[in-house]
Amino acid sequence: MTAIIRKPDTIEKLKILSADAQYDLACACGSKKDEHRVRGNDGKWIYPITLPNGGKASIFKILLSNVCANDCKYCPLRDNMDIRRCTLEAEETVRLFLEYYRQKKVFGIFISSGVIGSPDNTMQRINAIARILRYRHRFRDYIHLKIIPGASPSAIEDALSLANAVSLNIETPGAGNLVKLSNKKDYIRDIIEPIKLISRLTGKGNRFQKVHQTTQFIVGAADENDYDIVRYMGGLYDRLHLNRIYFSAYQRGLGDVNLPAENASPTNPANVLTREHRLYQVDFLMRKYGFSDNEIVFGADGKLSLEKDPKQVWADRNPQMFPLDINNASKHDLLRVPGMGLVTVNRILKYRKQYRIRRISDIGKPGKLLTKAAGYLKF
């Protein structure tokens, strides 16, 4: 008897690729309900993003292919895994996205993929989708393209000419950690140099200055410490001027049995996600609150505290800064008060132009966070 192997149709491909997209958790962290990704009944992932004007919108994120020539030990889709592989064609992808877009369910598209043969072959497929949208369908809204490690400068420039944002995952802090995860990737050649190239091409005054660049760390897979991640974050923001950094916590059981994370001391699964959350909090301190990477406080093991948020840890380490005079302290200093965020600090700056603030209740109902903040202020 001859077995007939039927190629999956578009819907079957989407089901397979949607299931595999669960391993990419970028953009999945948020402090509010509307900041988390949502998976629809049809398997498509819808991701929230914050627009430049501060508004919210949703993007359609799709994994173009789960075929991958890379050997990343943390990834269930790596080359030596026995899984059902499939790839969406450009026309299929465009049609799927436009169905959602025309129903006004999404604002834009994020196209990612495994490595199909070679980095440039994959980039050609990714860029082709963006090109069809831009030129055939006159699509002028948001397109985010994943840059494949090892892509050539010409493929990267092509992507930048089509996208509003691009991302190349840095994965680990340093080459010493990447060799624990992959035998094929060269950290400097395939990751750092392309990130630097994108930074130059999108720099102020350059042709692609309006294109945003983001990246992502795979947290814990190489058994790295938080100190190294945060130092790299400082360089990515201060020297290369990235717009955003994301974190994806590695969870045991997904990767190769020889992965450092699989052989490290057992960790409470909740702590894995708490660590990811702490890194997002550090990221916010650095992007929005004026903290530098060398002000972040770590334990003797180079890890962030799991019990306290990083701003609280910094405040406890710097008691000479407090109490702050709420009526005279600068915005920079007020943002360092535990329990106070941008909204509260801006309210204080507005109110004290009109009258003297004499108690914490003058700026709002004293809930848990304001009550905490009051302990670091004087009136």
Side-chain angles (χ1 to χ4, degrees):
M1 181 180 291
T2 302
I4 299 176
I5 301 176
R6 182 173 58 84
K7 291 184 178 180
D9 60 19
T10 300
I11 298 303
E12 287 179 293
K13 288 180 184 179
L14 188 62
K15 289 180 178 178
I16 294 168
L17 295 171
S18 293
D20 289 341
Q22 69 182 295
Y23 304 121
D24 183 0
L25 301 181
C27 316
C29 179
S31 59
K32 300 177 182 177
K33 186 177 179 180
D34 64 356
E35 292 176 342
H36 292 264
R37 64 181 186 160
V38 177
R39 187 178 184 182
N41 294 330
D42 51 5
K44 302 182 183 73
W45 285 109
I46 306 300
Y47 278 68
I49 61 169
T50 300
L51 302 175
N53 64 7
K56 299 286 185 182
S58 293
I59 58 173
F60 180 98
K61 183 170 183 180
I62 195 158
L63 183 67
L64 181 63
S65 178
N66 64 358
V67 173
C68 195
N70 276 341
D71 64 341
C72 305
K73 296 176 183 178
Y74 61 83
C75 182
L77 309 181
R78 59 191 181 277
D79 61 348
N80 63 350
M81 296 299 288
D82 183 16
I83 62 172
R84 193 180 185 191
R85 308 279 184 175
C86 63
T87 301
L88 285 166
E89 298 302 324
E91 297 290 352
E92 289 179 299
T93 308
V94 169
R95 186 171 67 253
L96 286 166
F97 165 65
L98 289 178
E99 286 177 9
Y100 259 52
Y101 181 75
R102 287 166 179 159
Q103 295 174 45
K104 301 187 184 300
K105 292 182 178 179
V106 294
F107 165 79
I109 187 170
F110 183 134
I111 309 169
S112 184
S113 181
V115 182
I116 312 166
S118 69
D120 271 15
N121 177 59
T122 311
M123 289 305 307
Q124 185 177 13
R125 288 171 175 263
I126 290 173
N127 292 348
I129 297 169
R131 185 167 285 104
I132 291 171
L133 286 169
R134 291 294 195 214
Y135 293 101
R136 186 190 304 172
H137 296 280
R138 305 297 179 186
F139 180 75
R140 293 293 175 263
D141 278 337
Y142 185 85
I143 295 179
H144 186 135
L145 301 181
K146 182 71 77 175
I147 303 298
I148 303 300
S152 67
S154 60
I156 292 172
E157 286 197 48
D158 190 31
L160 290 170
S161 73
L162 297 162
N164 300 90
V166 297
S167 56
L168 196 167
N169 290 350
I170 192 169
E171 300 186 41
T172 67
N177 284 309
L178 185 68
V179 296
K180 303 173 187 176
L181 306 182
S182 174
N183 296 319
K184 292 186 176 181
K185 293 179 185 174
D186 182 283
Y187 192 69
I188 301 300
R189 181 194 66 209
D190 297 335
I191 296 176
I192 298 301
E193 287 304 327
I195 288 177
K196 287 182 176 179
L197 173 63
I198 297 168
S199 179
R200 291 194 297 273
L201 293 173
T202 57
K204 188 175 181 180
N206 290 311
R207 177 185 174 192
F208 304 117
Q209 65 177 348
K210 293 184 178 180
V211 180
H212 285 200
Q213 180 182 190
T214 68
T215 193
Q216 177 180 242
F217 285 93
I218 308 300
V219 179
D223 201 28
E224 76 293 321
N225 62 38
D226 297 326
Y227 175 88
D228 290 334
I229 292 176
V230 173
R231 291 295 175 267
Y232 266 76
M233 289 168 61
L236 290 168
Y237 281 134
D238 297 339
R239 294 192 296 277
L240 298 182
H241 309 295
L242 266 70
N243 297 95
R244 186 72 192 271
I245 298 171
Y246 293 93
F247 309 91
S248 181
Y250 176 77
Q251 298 178 52
R252 287 186 179 219
L254 296 179
D256 187 281
V257 293
N258 296 314
L259 199 63
E262 297 290 343
N263 295 285
S265 301
T267 303
N268 185 332
N271 289 348
V272 173
L273 296 179
T274 299
R275 181 186 178 193
E276 179 190 82
H277 184 62
R278 292 287 181 250
L279 286 166
Y280 272 108
Q281 289 177 316
V282 168
D283 177 75
F284 206 79
L285 293 183
M286 293 171 66
R287 284 190 302 114
K288 299 291 187 180
Y289 286 22
F291 281 74
S292 63
D293 59 288
N294 58 20
E295 291 181 287
I296 306 302
V297 180
F298 305 90
D301 58 356
K303 298 288 182 69
L304 295 164
S305 171
L306 297 178
E307 289 71 37
K308 296 181 180 180
D309 73 76
K311 190 201 278 192
Q312 179 75 63
V313 175
W314 179 88
D316 292 346
R317 184 68 66 89
N318 292 274
Q320 75 283 358
M321 285 283 297
F322 306 102
L324 283 176
D325 186 337
I326 195 171
N327 288 289
N328 293 298
S330 67
K331 180 176 182 178
H332 174 274
D333 288 345
L334 288 171
L335 283 172
R336 293 176 175 243
V337 174
M340 293 211 309
L342 283 165
V343 172
T344 302
V345 170
N346 286 334
R347 187 185 304 142
I348 290 170
L349 297 177
K350 177 183 176 181
Y351 285 3
R352 72 187 193 184
K353 289 179 181 178
Q354 304 168 25
Y355 55 81
R356 183 173 183 81
I357 300 171
R358 299 186 181 279
R359 59 190 67 81
I360 199 67
S361 58
D362 287 350
I363 60 173
K365 185 177 180 180
K368 182 178 179 181
L369 292 178
L370 276 185
T371 300
K372 175 196 281 191
Y376 294 86
L377 299 168
K378 60 182 179 180
F379 301 86

